[in-house]
Amino acid sequence: MTIDILMPRPMLPIVQEQLDANFTVHRLYEADDPETLLAEVGEKIRGVAMAFGPVDKAFLSKIPNAEIVASFGVGYDHINTDDCLAAKVTVTHTPDVLTEEVADTALGLMLMTVREFGQAEQWLRQGNWEAKGPYPLTQATLQGRTLGIFGLGRIGKAIAKRAEAFGMEIHYHGRRKQDGVAYPYHATLKDLAAACDTLMVVAPGGAETQHAVNAEVLEALGPNGIVINIGRGTVIDEAALIAALENGTIFGAGLDVFEQEPKVPEKLLALPRVTVLPHVGSASQATRNAMGQLVVDNLKSWFDTGKAVSPVPEMG
């Protein structure tokens, strides 16, 4: 029996080729009129393979016989899991396979931000080293810094392990104190910010963390404070961050994610001690292929055994 899969947007070749070999794939993005195609095939769809885009009650009503949504990425704030649970649709994501890559990016971004390596590179490329002399001495150093991690999950722990090797003291905040974790725990994000001078945001997006890093938290971080975000852009109130940077409330920021990607506020880009990356935390071919393979494995496992490989926590 043929199993019909919906693919709303293009995915990696490793995903497309394997799904084509095992399922009948309906590519919504290739349709002249996606809504017409969805109306024609919606009742046949039993699974969805997707990288991003909203999944909610309205979307699920168009594919009433869907059993699984296999999402590409560890974050899944674009999916309303309550609506999926109500519709008896399993949701999967791709954790673990990107943990080490994102942790490496986090440390690289932190180093770039503290030591202004990106700005120093541009100084050289623009001919300033020869014309104006050495790049100015950086005011900040990584030595002696205390790292506060907001979100001590798989990636947060991998970051902490790397940061310890740099001699940093580690503190953390999350929904609860974790058993077996020796790092000092802070019950509020403001308390964490007050206890550290480098705040690493690893928290997922969604309503629970929307603008969790606000003006009050940034003020607690202080004038030597640096914010690094490799979680979700929505976790930081960008307007408050810009104001804190402009006013000297904090020292600098390193950002791989933004509130309205790919749009980045011009005011943010104009600030001198801000290092930015275009959401490349897990963006190596090897890691993205591993993530894509997990999307395929989730779909194949579900239809072969009735169990997914990596369901999101809400699925029990």
Side-chain angles (χ1 to χ4, degrees):
M1 180 179 67
T2 299
I3 296 173
D4 292 77
I5 299 293
L6 184 69
M7 188 181 292
R9 300 174 190 272
M11 300 189 75
L12 292 173
I14 193 173
V15 178
Q16 300 204 47
E17 291 166 6
Q18 291 188 73
L19 292 187
D20 283 337
N22 290 275
F23 305 100
T24 297
V25 181
H26 301 274
R27 291 172 167 79
L28 200 58
Y29 58 90
E30 290 182 348
D32 292 333
D33 186 343
E35 288 300 319
T36 298
L37 176 62
L38 202 52
E40 292 173 355
V41 304
E43 291 192 358
K44 296 193 296 183
I45 298 300
R46 294 179 60 193
V48 180
M50 65 187 307
F52 55 92
V55 175
D56 52 19
K57 185 176 181 180
F59 178 75
L60 294 171
S61 69
K62 299 172 183 178
I63 48 172
N65 297 308
E67 301 170 27
I68 180 172
V69 173
S71 181
F72 178 94
V74 65
Y76 52 94
D77 45 298
H78 56 290
I79 298 174
N80 188 315
T81 52
D82 289 337
D83 288 349
C84 289
L85 284 166
K88 297 182 179 179
V89 173
T90 291
V91 178
T92 68
H93 62 155
T94 60
D96 298 320
V97 293
L98 52 67
T99 296
E100 303 303 323
E101 199 77 79
V102 175
D104 288 345
T105 302
L107 264 292
L109 181 56
M110 182 170 66
L111 282 166
M112 287 179 67
T113 304
V114 172
R115 292 295 315 283
E116 302 175 24
F117 288 148
Q119 294 90 329
E121 181 190 15
Q122 290 306 310
W123 180 269
L124 184 154
R125 287 183 179 276
Q126 293 164 4
N128 291 325
W129 190 12
E130 184 175 358
K132 300 179 181 180
Y135 184 77
L137 298 178
T138 55
Q139 297 179 47
T141 176
L142 199 65
Q143 298 172 45
R145 283 190 165 265
T146 298
L147 181 64
I149 300 178
F150 176 26
L152 196 71
R154 298 177 183 88
I155 296 172
K157 287 183 173 70
I159 292 170
K161 181 180 179 181
R162 287 159 170 77
E164 281 189 288
F166 280 89
M168 301 184 79
E169 182 181 343
I170 313 297
H171 294 232
Y172 77 101
H173 166 70
R175 284 174 287 187
R176 59 176 178 79
K177 189 178 190 297
Q178 297 187 33
D179 296 333
V181 173
Y183 308 131
Y185 172 75
H186 298 269
T188 71
L189 185 53
K190 182 180 177 182
D191 287 345
L192 176 68
C196 69
D197 50 25
T198 309
L199 180 62
M200 178 71 69
V201 179
V202 200
E208 187 177 349
T209 60
Q210 176 85 16
H211 287 184
V213 179
N214 54 25
E216 188 177 21
V217 170
L218 294 169
E219 186 174 357
L221 189 60
N224 294 318
I226 289 175
V227 177
I228 308 295
N229 190 5
I230 51 91
R232 279 289 186 265
T234 55
V235 178
I236 295 179
D237 181 341
E238 276 185 1
L241 176 63
I242 291 168
L245 289 162
E246 288 178 337
N247 299 333
T249 302
I250 65 171
F251 185 80
L255 309 168
D256 185 44
V257 290
F258 305 89
E259 278 201 70
Q260 297 181 347
E261 297 177 5
K263 295 180 180 179
V264 180
E266 288 295 331
K267 284 186 176 182
L268 199 57
L269 295 175
L271 290 162
R273 289 197 291 269
V274 174
T275 298
V276 292
L277 297 175
H279 202 152
V280 296
S282 64
S284 72
Q285 192 66 60
T287 295
R288 290 293 172 86
N289 279 348
M291 292 164 64
Q293 186 62 55
L294 192 47
V295 169
V296 174
D297 292 345
N298 271 304
L299 288 165
K300 291 177 68 176
S301 178
W302 179 261
F303 291 111
D304 287 344
T305 71
K307 295 181 179 180
V309 178
S310 55
V312 301
E314 291 89 335
M315 298 293 119

